[in-house]
Amino acid sequence: MRILEGKSLSAEILGSLIPRVKAVKAGLGRPPSLAIINYFGDSPSAVYVKRKIAACEALGIEVKLFNPAAADGYTAFKNLLSRLGADAACDAIMLERPLPDGFETLETWDALPAAKDVDGLSSLNMGRLFISTKFPEIAAGGFFAPCTALAVIRLMKFHGIDPAGKIIAVAGRSAIVGKPLAQMLTMLNATVTLCHTKTPDLPGIFKRSDVVISAAGKPRWIKKEMLQASAAVIDVGTNFDETGKMCGDADFEDIKGSIYAATPVPGGVGPVTLACLLEASVAAAETRARSTSGGLSSAEKK
Ligand code: NAP
C-alpha cells in the first residue's frame, strides 16, 4: 500500500514561506502576526496549538496566544474578536475548536473579519468558496478557505491522486472540514457523496468509492471490508485511543495490506493543514503590506 505522507509537502510549503516572511518584515517593519484563540488548554487542540506556535517561531511569524475561559462569556469572546479585528498589528486570526457551548454561531462567523479569517470560516469567505466554480479561484480570488479541506486537496494532488472523474465519499459534514471539502472536490470534477451519521448504507457507499475521506472523528472505525482494493483513504480524523495514542478514523493496521493507498495518522493531513494555516497567515500579512505605503517589492519577495 502506498503511504500518502504529509511531511514532505508540509516542508515544501513552509520552505516557500521563508522569503515571503522576509518580504513582509521589510514591507511592514514587523513579521506577519497570527492570533490564536484557544479556549480549552487541556483539550487535544492544545497539542496542535503548541505545534503551530513552534512552526511559526521557526519561520519568524509572531504568534499571540489567547486562552480565555468559557466562564468569561460570549460577550467577552465577541469583544476579543472585535479588538483583534481592529488591531493593525494582527494579520490573522485562528479560532481553535472546540469553542465553548453555544459559541459556534452564525454571529461568531460573521464577527470574524474576512481579511484575517485564515481558516475561512467567516460568512464572506465561506460564501465565496461556495459561489466559486473553479478551484484556482481559491488561490487567485483573494479569499481564505478552510485549511484542513485545502490540505486534503493539496495532499491528494501532491501524491498524484487527481479528484477529476473520481467517485469520492466524504464522511463528516462539518462546516470546517466535510462541507467545504465536498465543495472543493466538486469544483475539481469529482462526484461526491457527503456522508454523516444518518446516511443509509454507508459501507455500500464506501465500497463503491475510488477515494474515501473520513472526517468523522471516530477512532479506527474504517475497516478493510468497507473498501475496494483500488481505494485510497484520506484520513482527516485525529483521535486518541484508550491508551492515549493518536490514531485516525481508519484502522491503519487492518487496511494496510488491502487497499491502494492511505494517509498515516499522525504524519498525513495534519502537517499539511498546519502549513496551509501558516501560508494563509503570511498571505494575510502580504495583503496588509501591499496596502501600506511601503508595500512589498518584487525584489524583496525573491
Ligand atoms: P465534527 O464537527 O464533530 O463533525 C463530525 C462529523 O462526522 C459530523 O458531520 C458527523 O455526522 C460525522 N460522523 C460522525 N460519526 C460518523 C459515522 N460513523 N459515519 C459517518 N459520519 C459520521 O468534527 P470536525 O471538526 O469536522 O472534525 C472531524 C475530525 O477531523 C476530528 O477527528 C478532528 O479532530 C479532525 N480534524 C483534523 C484536522 C487535521 O488537520 N488533521 C483538522 C480539523 C479536524 P452528523 O453531522 O450526522 O453528526
Side-chain angles (χ1 to χ4, degrees), residues 155-290:
L155 191 58
M156 287 174 69
K157 290 184 163 203
F158 181 75
H159 286 289
I161 299 175
D162 182 358
K166 301 243 174 2
I167 304 292
I168 300 184
V170 176
R173 56 176 161 179
S174 71
I176 192 165
V177 190
K179 276 193 281 200
L181 180 54
Q183 162 67 359
M184 290 178 194
L185 291 164
T186 306
M187 282 184 208
L188 288 163
N189 298 320
T191 300
V192 182
T193 308
L194 186 55
C195 309
H196 44 79
T197 54
K198 309 292 184 296
T199 300
D201 189 25
L202 190 135
I205 293 169
F206 276 18
K207 195 86 186 178
R208 291 190 291 277
S209 299
D210 302 310
V211 180
V212 169
I213 305 177
S214 184
K218 272 189 74 182
R220 303 192 181 105
W221 69 292
I222 298 176
K223 307 288 182 189
K224 62 183 177 211
E225 297 76 31
M226 298 159 79
L227 306 164
Q228 54 175 298
S230 57
V233 170
I234 312 293
D235 198 342
V236 179
T238 318
N239 315 297
F240 293 88
D241 69 12
E242 52 293 340
T243 68
K245 192 173 171 216
M246 188 188 281
C247 67
D249 286 358
D251 187 337
F252 197 81
E253 288 306 310
D254 183 69
I255 65 171
K256 76 178 180 197
S258 308
I259 63 165
Y260 166 62
T263 58
V265 177
V269 176
V272 185
T273 303
L274 184 149
C276 288
L277 171 70
L278 268 56
E279 185 180 55
S281 304
V282 173
E286 286 171 341
T287 303
R288 180 179 293 279
R290 275 190 212 99

